[in-house]
Amino acid sequence: MKLNLKRPLAFFDIEATGTNLGVDRIIEMAVIKLLPDGTEESKVWVLNPEMAIPLEVSLIHGFYDDDVKGKPVFKSVAAEVAEFLDDCDLAGYNSNKFDIPMLVEEFLRAGVAFDLKGRHFVDVQNIFHQMEQRTLKAAYQFYCNKEIQNAHSAEADTRATMEVLLAQVDRYKDTEFIDKKGNKTIPVQNEVAALHEFTNLQRAVDFVGRMVYNEAGEELFNFGKHKGKRVEDVFDVEPSYYAWMMNGDFPLYTKQKLKEIYERWTATKATRPQQPKSTQSQQQPAGSGNVDKKPFQQKPFNKQPFNNNRPQQQQQRPFKKDEPAKPVDGDMLQALANKFKKS
């Protein structure tokens, strides 16, 4: 089975220190680049993540701290990786949720430009989960009738992923699919653009899905107290939400996309007509009782001599209307005398 490619399609898989995009780092990355003429190129990078590898993660992919000592850090190979993936569409297993956003985070930390615009992303897992709903191991067995040798090795998983996609395209080329809205299509086609459309289900703005597009192509928040609201509408009523997210523990790519929306919102806000400040007082509803009221004027402060002889508690005590009058004493008479004596 040969894919109908207009440009290279890079299958890749990442092994990392964990799954937290804002904290974890890449340990191993394998890429198989399938060219339009059917030939392929491949590369594997083993990297020093510059952090300890948790034991529970090492038990999964087999990389321990000693295995990465002396290995290059991602920043030192970032330009090489970007060049190898230049002009490639990207494919992987669960790549839309993990591998692509993890790779983008590393590029951003390294300060190496990696433009995603115009690329197609084919997530083999999404085809599989929608059509069969199984794991990669089961997918390889189901579609290719093979067992993965050396599972959880990036290179083995990458090759298995590539073979599964080829088998999926062949198996489902004439299979009808009915989505949640009842629309019938034949989505698994020998065309990367069609596979991109079928495997990008959530229409995420930032890969991890903190923001998503609605049917009109507008960005919505997809988490927290503003879930389901247009991002620009939230900026209108709570602009500080932008600063909160930019200072929070969100992936760098999420912050980058948020900044783009914020700058667009700021530019359009400057062109909107501003409502005069006096409008609120001019639009008081009839009968509100506020129409004839004069502006508040502060009364002049009446300076009086301070009587150090009076207890502090008595000076600060507020007058209470229903409190019974106190009998006249010497302090009160002295205060009256001081108030009315001639200067």
Side-chain angles (χ1 to χ4, degrees), residues 136-238:
L136 175 59
K137 180 180 179 180
Y140 196 56
Q141 175 66 45
F142 182 83
Y143 290 108
C144 306
N145 197 26
K146 298 179 183 178
E147 292 288 339
I148 299 178
Q149 300 299 319
N150 197 18
H152 295 299
S153 159
E155 186 172 10
D157 288 354
T158 300
R159 183 164 296 281
T161 299
M162 181 181 71
E163 292 183 25
V164 166
L165 177 61
L166 296 176
Q168 286 175 330
V169 171
D170 188 47
R171 182 184 183 92
Y172 299 122
K173 59 186 177 183
D174 298 317
T175 302
E176 186 178 75
F177 176 77
I178 303 176
D179 65 18
K180 294 179 180 179
K181 296 182 179 179
N183 299 318
K184 297 180 180 180
T185 59
I186 300 178
V188 184
Q189 303 175 25
N190 193 349
E191 172 62 50
V192 172
L195 297 175
H196 164 87
E197 186 66 24
F198 188 50
T199 60
N200 286 268
L201 309 177
Q202 195 179 31
R203 301 188 68 195
V205 175
D206 61 326
F207 289 121
V208 294
R210 293 294 181 268
M211 296 175 289
V212 295
Y213 293 107
N214 62 14
E215 292 183 357
E218 301 167 314
E219 300 93 346
L220 309 178
F221 281 120
N222 195 37
F223 76 102
K225 65 179 182 180
H226 293 305
K227 184 175 181 178
K229 298 178 184 177
R230 291 176 67 249
V231 175
E232 292 192 24
D233 289 344
V234 173
F235 289 162
D236 283 337
V237 298
E238 190 180 348

Side-chain angles (χ1 to χ4, degrees), residues 306-322:
F306 181 75
N307 184 1
N308 288 324
N309 296 325
R310 297 181 64 189
Q312 185 69 16
Q313 184 177 0
Q314 186 178 352
Q315 293 176 26
Q316 295 181 349
R317 185 180 180 186
F319 173 73
K320 294 184 179 180
K321 188 185 212 178
D322 299 329

Side-chain angles (χ1 to χ4, degrees), residues 2-11 33-39 89 190-192:
K2 180 181 177 182
L3 282 176
N4 179 22
L5 301 177
K6 294 182 173 60
R7 60 181 176 184
L9 179 62
F11 293 84
K33 185 162 64 174
L34 199 59
L35 304 177
D37 63 3
T39 61
D89 293 321
N190 193 349
E191 172 62 50
V192 172

